[in-house]
Amino acid sequence: MERKRVIAVGSYPDWDSEAMSRDYALATIARLADLASLDPALRNEAVAVAYKSGASFGAAEMDLLPNLGLISNFGVGYDAINIEAARDRGIRVTNTPDVLNDDVADTALAMMLAHCRCIPAGDRFVREGRWPGGDFPLNRKFSGGRAGIMGLGRIGRSIADRLVAFGMEIHYHARSAKDVPAGWTFHATPEGLAAEVDWLVVALVGGAATQDYISAEVIACMPQDAVLVNISRGSTVDEAALLDALEAGRIGAALDVFRNEPDIDPRFLTLPNVILQPHQGSGTVETRRAMGELQRANIAAYLRGEPLLTPVT
Ligand code: NAP
């Protein structure tokens, strides 16, 4: 059977690029910005893009691909893709939901525990030979605290379910109340949630609609020594307001995502009350393999004219 032209954008491990090269006439570019310099004949042939990038994929890029019918995104968050521009051009978009819930939720829990029990500082304390000089300072109890989930979607729910095992009181905010276990508390506003919890865990979608959702006002509502945990997108938090609150020692933070990744604001680097992670929420071999398989399964369904597995609606 004739292999269809697919353009892979981004850096893929061998297991993905070998599978794509086997199944499609594959062209690979490291960055979306390289699309314009790709051979026009090849761009004309392209019917699908396997997309793995945070770079903005807008109308201008789509217009370089006149026969494009599908953008298959590697990742659940598709905020980099202009969905309206795709819809206007009859281009379908898919993402990779659910297969990464466990890993992202595990990462949130790991950051929370690391922050609360000062795990990075404890590790340095032992390695640097300071233990014989005296005991490590006492830290804070994790189990039994009050956790607030900002955005109780797939990942937010996975985080909340884990926190139940730690005896946490669960509070949440979303645009509407959800079907949740008895005892979980819905807050109609982000400020209302922020004011009632020790841990404010952000699991919102990214994009224009949630830009600065965790505003200066929301941050101001957080109690002294509460901790902001962000595994969503850097865009959801007013980072300047967050940095001010962190530098004032009012709150702590555990962050997997930032504005301007990977060149994050250097003010973060010297703060003792922050856990910093390199956007690695879904970054396990098992989950990245599953995400690649789902990305290709959507492309396969599209090429066969079958219903897409996980369309963005
Ligand atoms: P989801 O199931 O769609 O849940 C998203 C949540 O965001 C829902 O609670 C939703 O509220 C809320 N939301 C959406 N639009 C909103 C708006 N305009 N105003 C207020 N709230 C809004 O998504 P998910 O699968 O859990 O993924 C969440 C995000 O996690 C992804 O979009 C991605 O950015 C991020 N993520 C990060 C990593 C990482 O490596 N750190 C990995 C994977 C995903 P409603 O319930 O009211 O609709």
Side-chain angles (χ1 to χ4, degrees):
M1 202 177 82
E2 185 209 355
R3 291 186 312 157
K4 298 286 189 188
R5 173 68 67 193
V6 173
I7 299 177
V9 181
S11 168
Y12 287 87
D14 289 348
W15 60 70
D16 284 329
S17 47
E18 282 165 12
M20 289 195 284
S21 301
R22 186 189 61 223
D23 294 344
Y24 327 128
L26 189 72
T28 304
I29 52 177
R31 302 169 316 131
L32 192 62
D34 300 334
L35 194 58
S37 50
L38 208 58
D39 178 358
L42 201 148
R43 283 197 270 111
N44 274 332
E45 288 169 12
V47 294
V49 165
Y51 197 56
K52 188 180 183 189
S53 168
S56 168
F57 196 156
E61 292 77 22
M62 293 174 197
D63 288 340
L64 292 170
L65 303 166
N67 292 304
L68 185 66
L70 177 73
I71 300 169
S72 182
N73 189 53
F74 186 101
V76 65
Y78 51 85
D79 42 306
I81 301 169
N82 185 332
I83 299 297
E84 270 183 24
R87 193 187 308 122
D88 291 347
R89 288 160 181 73
I91 300 168
R92 310 284 306 278
V93 179
T94 58
N95 63 345
T96 60
D98 288 319
V99 294
L100 39 63
N101 294 352
D102 283 344
D103 278 351
V104 182
D106 290 351
T107 302
L109 266 290
M111 291 196 302
M112 293 167 81
L113 283 160
H115 192 288
C116 191
R117 302 307 309 271
C118 305
I119 301 297
D123 182 87
R124 285 196 301 277
F125 185 78
V126 177
R127 283 176 201 278
E128 292 168 5
R130 285 184 279 142
W131 193 4
D135 288 343
F136 190 62
L138 300 181
N139 39 66
R140 291 170 59 194
K141 177 165 174 159
F142 184 69
S143 289
R146 298 173 302 166
I149 314 294
M150 194 72 86
L152 198 74
R154 290 170 291 242
I155 293 171
R157 178 64 196 251
S158 299
I159 295 169
D161 288 340
R162 282 160 172 71
L163 292 172
V164 168
F166 287 88
M168 289 264 182
E169 212 178 88
I170 306 294
H171 299 248
Y172 71 98
H173 165 73
R175 287 171 298 182
S176 57
K178 310 293 174 204
D179 185 14
V180 295
W184 293 18
T185 306
F186 172 68
H187 295 262
T189 65
E191 290 85 357
L193 177 67
E196 293 296 323
V197 295
D198 310 304
W199 299 91
L200 186 62
V201 186
V202 188
L204 297 164
V205 298
T210 56
Q211 173 96 15
D212 290 338
Y213 205 82
I214 315 305
S215 61
E217 292 73 24
V218 173
I219 291 168
C221 289
M222 293 174 68
Q224 174 73 34
D225 295 330
V227 179
L228 180 76
V229 182
N230 192 5
I231 52 81
S232 63
R233 285 286 185 267
S235 61
T236 59
V237 175
D238 179 336
E239 207 167 75
L242 173 62
L243 278 160
D244 287 347
L246 290 169
E247 286 175 348
R250 226 186 46 70
I251 59 170
L255 307 168
D256 187 43
V257 288
F258 304 84
R259 302 289 169 102
N260 202 31
E261 296 173 8
D263 301 312
I264 69 169
D265 193 315
R267 287 167 69 191
F268 281 117
L269 304 181
T270 53
L271 289 167
N273 48 345
V274 183
I275 297 281
L276 303 172
Q277 288 294 298
H279 198 152
Q280 64 129 336
S282 67
T284 67
V285 170
E286 294 85 349
T287 290
R288 291 290 169 85
R289 274 187 190 272
M291 291 166 67
E293 282 164 15
L294 184 50
Q295 180 183 43
R296 292 193 297 281
N298 275 302
I299 296 175
Y302 174 73
L303 296 179
R304 287 197 296 263
E306 294 171 2
L308 301 174
L309 280 80
T310 48
V312 169
T313 50

